[in-house]
Amino acid sequence: MENLNLVLPEIFISLSIMFLLVLGVFKKNSSKIIFNLSLFAILITAIITINETFSVSRETLFNESVVIDTMSSLMKIITLIGGFLVLVISSSYLKTFKIYNIEYPVLILSSILGMMVMISSNDLIVFYMGLELQSLALYVLATYNRDQLKSSEAGLKYFVLSALSSGLLLYGCSLVYGFSGSTNFDVISNQLNSNEYVLTFGIVFILVGLAFKISAVPFHMWAPDVYEGSPTTVTLFFTMVPKIAALTVFIRFLYVPFLNLIDQWQMIIIFLSIASMVFGAVAAIGQTNIKRLIAYSSIGHIGYTLAGLATASNEGIQSSIIYISIYVVMNLALFSCLLMLRRKDQYYENIEDLSGLSKNHPLLSLCLLVILFSLAGIPPLAGFFAKFYVFKAVLEQSMFFLAIVGLLSTVVAAFYYLRIIKIIYFDKEKDKYDTDHSIWLKFSLTVSTILILLYFIFPSQLIEVVSRINII
Amino acid sequence: MNFPILSSLILLPTVGALFLFFTKDKEGNNSTAKYVALFTTIVNFLISIYLWISFDQSTSNFQFIEDRTWIEGFINYKVGVDGISILFIILTTFITPLCIISVNNSVKNRLRDFLIAILIMESFMIGVFCALDLVVFYLFFEAGLIPMFLIIGIWGGPKRVYSAFKFFLYTLLGSVLMLVAIISIYWITGTTDVIQLYELGIDAKYQNLLWLAFFSSFAVKTPMWPVHTWLPDAHVEAPTAGSVLLAAILLKMAGYGFIRFSLGLFPVASEVFTPLIYTLSVIAIIFTSFIALMQEDMKKLIAYSSVAHMGFVTLGIFTLQQQGIEGSIIQMISHGLVSAALFLCVGVVYDRMHSRMINSYGGIVTIIPKYSILFMLFTLAALGLPGTSGFIGEFLILMGAFKDNFLVAVIASLGVILGAAYMLWLYKRVVFGKLVNEDLKKMFDLNRSEYLILSFLAVPTLFFGFYPDPLINTIEVSVTDLINMHNSNIASK
């Protein structure tokens, strides 16, 4: 009998989903209970993950199709924390739109389960199952506010394009299977010496599929529309949580089965990275809707994350993981602010709505100031360190071109972050926004802002955790 | 010495800013906030004076070093001072309280926030001058952009948004290349510790590129011709206190960086690129002096004169002569005092008349005599009249330049004449002449706080003009050591 303890988190969360669904269907008006119970379930899952799996250095299960190692545990925990926080700050938003239903937490839990499977996968089929479970839940979440045209449109767009990318991915997987004779990452890795060039096709298709999922340029087209159309809390979920899982899969794909083919894929990743950094920076300039702007900025940030991956070194991978972790915190903070722009049950999401915010809401503006400067990568805020680690890893591999393009695009990106700061601080004020926010919203904003602001005092802690990840 | 005196210098203003955060933000004259800020900065000034007194002038070693692990196995938080940095720290702590006294008139709304920005700015500026690790230096150097952006953007004049953006993006663009260079240095040598790097030396084949990357950052910040265009805009739009900080201290970061890093870390490259610096400096001196001559706006004129003065500074640094470098440092200190004073002088008349145009003044000598006298003193100091600190700096720089390159020195000397021309012409048009504008009669002379600030600036300007020894003694050993190190590095290559 295999050591099922190691997949206990997945088992627990699956059982919780079924239980919550049944409870929700049979018990009337149970939204609140379901919300609280699902929070509880995520919490328990996180605790189990920390307890059971964090001590394991590397274990495989089910004919080596599932792998539990430090990276998977860490990424699962970040995913769970992200999911938890999204869920707690969603309630008031959902209530406003009268979509405070039992399906929401269940869908979030299902997509988290899918991500956890993806993160742990060591086999093409297991990976694909996780991916589809995650995606299906996300399609529904995107269109969750179905009475609004934009939300339905977002869900449809996301569904069509994501299905297309899944198709490409699957085609790539089948090519890889065809040429290597196995779906297991470790086996593929051992088989790779003979048919290298033919396999390149498979890798390219898989990379295209994955690039779709993380919205790297040139496969980013869906992101701004979907982000804009989805309910804000779902957008928050999109920008944070699936990216963690997709990044993990990216790392695993590139560095376990295809490490020997590094010459074939390195240029692709560098291209994706540069294109995303530059495009994300330039295209964000003209945006007027904050959610669209965040979509472009997240494209840019994915570019930086990929820059770390392109280095083909452990430091690079670690720097990418640090980057995405810090990015998750910054994003959470930014969206918490966005969810506070509410006046009489109406949410505002145009950049113009922030005009002169600093006069009426000095504290909220200060938080935004910190967050935006951090996103722009200005020291001593956390965002600077994220970029710093990535570029340190990049430069250690003498990839000067990538580093210089990346840093120059931060200057361009700084422009549009500054523009928001300008609107908040330099422009004329508008009416006050409501201030009766839920305690959780205030909590998440305060904690994440303080983390961003004071990260520089204890920068070593995060590195210490991440440095245990040694894939290569 | 166990007490972390440098860290407390860096931290104290930020702590003060935190305190300010909890004071009530009242419209109009917010005196509590001002007293808290003033108290903090004066205490900081006293600490820095104590630092100077207990500083050992006989050695070129870094003193008061604090070294703590910051990012495991990578960066240490390391600060320390030598003769060169200590003067800049004192300049910073001296100018900041004066800025705070001066905000009375120039900042009408959100005074508390303004003071917070100034205090945080002070922390960063002191950090820049004592950082002994490249990453720590970069961190402080860049972080200063945030408060300055806000100072210009929130409290500035009509075109403030444009100026704030230009300032921020220009400087950021310059600095990112420096960041690439810093990481590359870590990659090449395995450390970013400045003292260790001085000892290790950097392989000559890398130096040119690294030097250029640092140069791109410092050239923008100095600012050197042709990347100086952000400075006049920023100065014109910034509130008086912001202009003062910008001219008196921020520009000095780059000059300091040239001495500490460009010369210290890349001696071979510095030798290679001296002609480039000479050319740009001479163009800056002559060209911007002519531009200054044509200005209608007082602040712009002084801003361009700053560019010219900083041209002298870069020229002096790269003469690589004892006198040249000493002259540059003294010129920077002197320019810190004098340009601060000049901007305050402009601020004084601006507060009364709400015009910075030269032609809206004239003949005010009889109306506000006290002001006219002090303004004259600083005008003369700016043009480098003997007996003022400006003279010592320019004289030493030109001496160094003559030793190194006769032609450059001759051309630069022309800049002194041009400097005299535009400063005197400015003074003549503003203060002397016929009183055409009847409104000027309503002007009142310096009030107590303005008088206080300008006198505080006048004393060291005159004192160091007649007796520069305290300055020279402080920096001499460090500069000698820097030059020796430089020469031995060149010789060994």
Side-chain angles (χ1 to χ4, degrees), chain A residues 49-203:
Chain A
T49 316
I50 294 172
N51 245 1
E52 299 278 330
T53 58
F54 219 100
S55 48
V56 178
S57 60
R58 186 186 149 96
E59 290 269 345
T60 51
L61 286 167
F62 310 122
N63 285 331
E64 300 190 340
S65 61
V66 168
V67 60
I68 310 287
D69 58 6
T70 324
M71 180 165 78
S72 70
S73 310
L74 181 69
M75 295 310 239
K76 277 179 199 168
I77 288 164
I78 302 177
T79 308
L80 288 165
I81 294 172
F84 181 85
L85 290 169
V86 171
L87 211 51
V88 288
I89 62 178
S90 297
S91 321
S92 57
Y93 181 86
L94 296 174
K95 278 176 194 157
T96 313
F97 286 97
K98 302 197 172 53
I99 44 174
Y100 186 65
N101 303 329
I102 57 153
E103 290 89 351
Y104 186 85
V106 174
L107 284 167
I108 291 222
L109 282 183
S110 319
S111 70
I112 288 177
L113 173 63
M115 290 169 209
M116 289 172 75
V117 173
M118 275 166 81
I119 289 172
S120 273
S121 63
N122 196 36
D123 185 283
L124 291 171
I125 296 172
V126 175
F127 152 70
Y128 190 73
M129 273 179 12
L131 179 73
E132 284 307 289
L133 177 57
Q134 175 218 241
S135 301
L136 277 173
L138 292 182
Y139 303 146
V140 187
L141 279 174
T143 183
Y144 199 71
N145 194 2
R146 62 175 190 276
D147 296 335
Q148 273 197 346
L149 192 61
K150 270 194 172 172
S151 184
S152 316
E153 186 194 323
L156 191 64
K157 257 185 195 156
Y158 189 38
F159 173 66
V160 172
L161 288 166
S162 194
L164 176 71
S165 75
S166 294
L168 291 173
L169 196 82
L170 206 54
Y171 181 54
C173 293
S174 70
L175 282 176
V176 169
Y177 172 68
F179 288 114
S180 66
S182 172
T183 54
N184 186 288
F185 290 178
D186 295 329
V187 181
I188 297 173
S189 161
N190 296 331
Q191 298 283 321
L192 273 187
N193 304 322
S194 49
N195 296 316
E196 285 176 14
Y197 290 98
V198 204
L199 266 171
T200 312
F201 283 100
I203 297 175

Side-chain angles (χ1 to χ4, degrees), chain A residues 358 366 373 378-379 384 388 392 395-396 398 407-408 411 414-415 418-419 422 425-426 456 459-460 463, chain B residues 21 70-72 74 110 138-139 142-143 146 149 153-154 160-161 165 168-169 172-173 180 183-184 186-187:
Chain A
S358 64
L366 190 69
F373 273 122
I378 306 296
F384 166 74
F388 182 71
K392 178 171 160 273
L395 284 170
E396 266 167 14
S398 314
L407 284 167
L408 291 181
V411 180
F415 174 77
L418 285 185
R419 196 167 65 102
K422 173 219 144 199
Y425 273 89
F426 306 172
F456 75 95
S460 297
I463 299 178
Chain B
F21 214 79
W70 186 30
I71 300 179
E72 283 290 331
F74 176 33
R110 297 163 83 180
Y138 182 81
L139 228 72
E142 279 283 88
I146 300 176
F149 176 75
I154 302 179
R160 59 185 199 272
V161 175
F165 271 68
F168 194 100
L169 294 175
L172 185 64
L173 187 65
V180 174
I183 302 175
S184 307
Y186 178 75
W187 172 63

